Amino acid sequence: MNTIFWAGDSTVQTNNYATYPQTGIGQVFSLFLREGYQVENHAKNGRSTKSFLDEGRLAVIEQRLGEGDFLFIQFGHNDEKSEDPSRYTDPFSSFMENLEIYINTARKKGAFPVLITPVERRCFVDEEHLGPGAHGDYVEGMKRTAQKCQVPLVDLYSASRRALEKAGEEGSRKWYMFFPAGSYEEHMEESTDNTHLRYEGAVKYASFIAEGLRNLGGIYREMLFEEPQAEAL
């Protein structure tokens, strides 16, 4: 059994009933995997590349990683928090340096690292257009690291921005924790959260990661189920 280990934040983490209907991308990614592959999701709410390391979470992954496994590395949201020194990283220095630690950890164990840029927030400036958001420098820092270290990268950031602008401000609410009071018995209060995902959003964005892996080909394509061909008319 090949295992995909996932290091990331709340947009990726596996949620329980206490946070329903919030759903993480890593929580649903097994929907796209063929037999013989599984996800071990170590993503945790509020973590950055720095705090994930400092808390020993990468060390736990390292103990479990084996040859032929994969390490998906997806950060950015919390690395941006300049007001919090326990999480903040500079996009073109400490962020990139931390990413290299994750990459080298995977390679030491004979595993395959994959960098995944952060999913965009609902940062609409009008009904159809997004503002610049806060991820840009971290996306660029991740891309530079991928090029320097010759690591495959899936650009979820760009794919999610395209999808958001296509859906529009109102149409994209269903992907996020953005809903009126009374929508869920388990979450009766109104939520205007533009960062965290509901099930439909998690599946949507997981499908973009699957598409990116499919485009990489080789061992990355092999982990995915083959899309059924349309029946001839």
Side-chain angles (χ1 to χ4, degrees):
M1 181 74 74
N2 296 93
T3 301
I4 297 160
F5 291 84
W6 216 310
D9 55 37
S10 57
T11 63
V12 181
Q13 77 169 4
T14 297
N15 293 266
N16 58 32
Y17 188 70
T19 53
Y20 182 85
Q22 185 175 324
T23 309
I25 295 168
Q27 185 175 344
V28 302
F29 193 72
S30 58
L31 294 171
F32 299 91
L33 297 175
R34 62 165 79 230
E35 273 190 50
Y37 293 85
Q38 63 181 357
V39 173
E40 189 169 308
N41 192 7
H42 290 256
K44 192 70 175 174
N45 180 58
R47 271 51 178 194
S48 68
T49 56
K50 180 181 187 302
S51 61
F52 197 94
L53 280 170
D54 290 346
E55 293 172 5
R57 295 180 184 276
L58 181 60
V60 171
I61 294 175
E62 183 176 14
Q63 292 173 355
R64 298 181 57 78
L65 268 174
E67 188 171 352
D69 288 336
F70 297 82
L71 177 58
F72 286 6
I73 306 155
Q74 186 174 345
F75 289 100
H77 282 81
N78 298 300
D79 287 82
E80 300 162 1
K81 297 187 183 298
S82 57
E83 73 281 3
D84 185 353
S86 70
R87 294 187 285 180
Y88 175 70
T89 62
D90 179 87
F92 300 116
S93 58
S94 50
F95 180 64
M96 295 176 63
E97 292 160 8
N98 288 345
L99 290 175
E100 286 196 47
I101 294 172
Y102 289 80
I103 290 165
N104 292 333
T105 296
R107 285 177 165 167
K108 273 194 312 183
K109 300 301 290 281
F112 302 100
V114 178
L115 295 178
I116 303 172
T117 57
V119 62
E120 184 58 290
R121 296 184 176 95
R122 292 180 69 258
C123 52
F124 282 92
V125 294
D126 58 33
E127 290 298 315
E128 297 179 352
H129 301 97
L130 295 170
H135 296 333
D137 285 346
Y138 291 87
V139 172
E140 179 60 27
M142 189 174 279
K143 288 180 177 179
R144 291 185 189 183
T145 305
Q147 185 174 25
K148 176 184 177 183
C149 299
Q150 294 298 290
V151 171
L153 178 140
V154 174
D155 191 4
L156 176 60
Y157 168 77
S158 296
S160 60
R161 282 186 67 90
R162 289 192 296 269
L164 283 164
E165 292 194 317
K166 183 177 180 181
E169 193 282 326
E170 186 170 351
S172 62
R173 292 181 184 185
K174 64 182 178 291
W175 299 339
Y176 290 76
M177 291 284 287
F178 195 111
F179 46 82
S183 297
Y184 298 92
E185 289 185 7
E186 302 84 356
H187 196 304
M188 291 299 292
E189 64 272 26
E190 176 188 27
S191 180
T192 56
D193 182 342
N194 292 314
T195 299
H196 299 105
L197 306 172
R198 284 189 271 175
Y199 182 82
E200 189 169 348
V203 172
K204 181 82 169 175
Y205 294 137
S207 75
F208 294 160
I209 295 175
E211 181 181 3
L213 294 167
R214 201 179 300 278
N215 290 338
L216 288 171
I219 58 172
Y220 308 101
R221 185 185 182 95
E222 287 171 8
M223 72 171 67
L224 304 168
F225 75 86
E226 287 298 323
E227 295 179 350
Q229 299 296 312
E231 293 184 11
L233 297 176

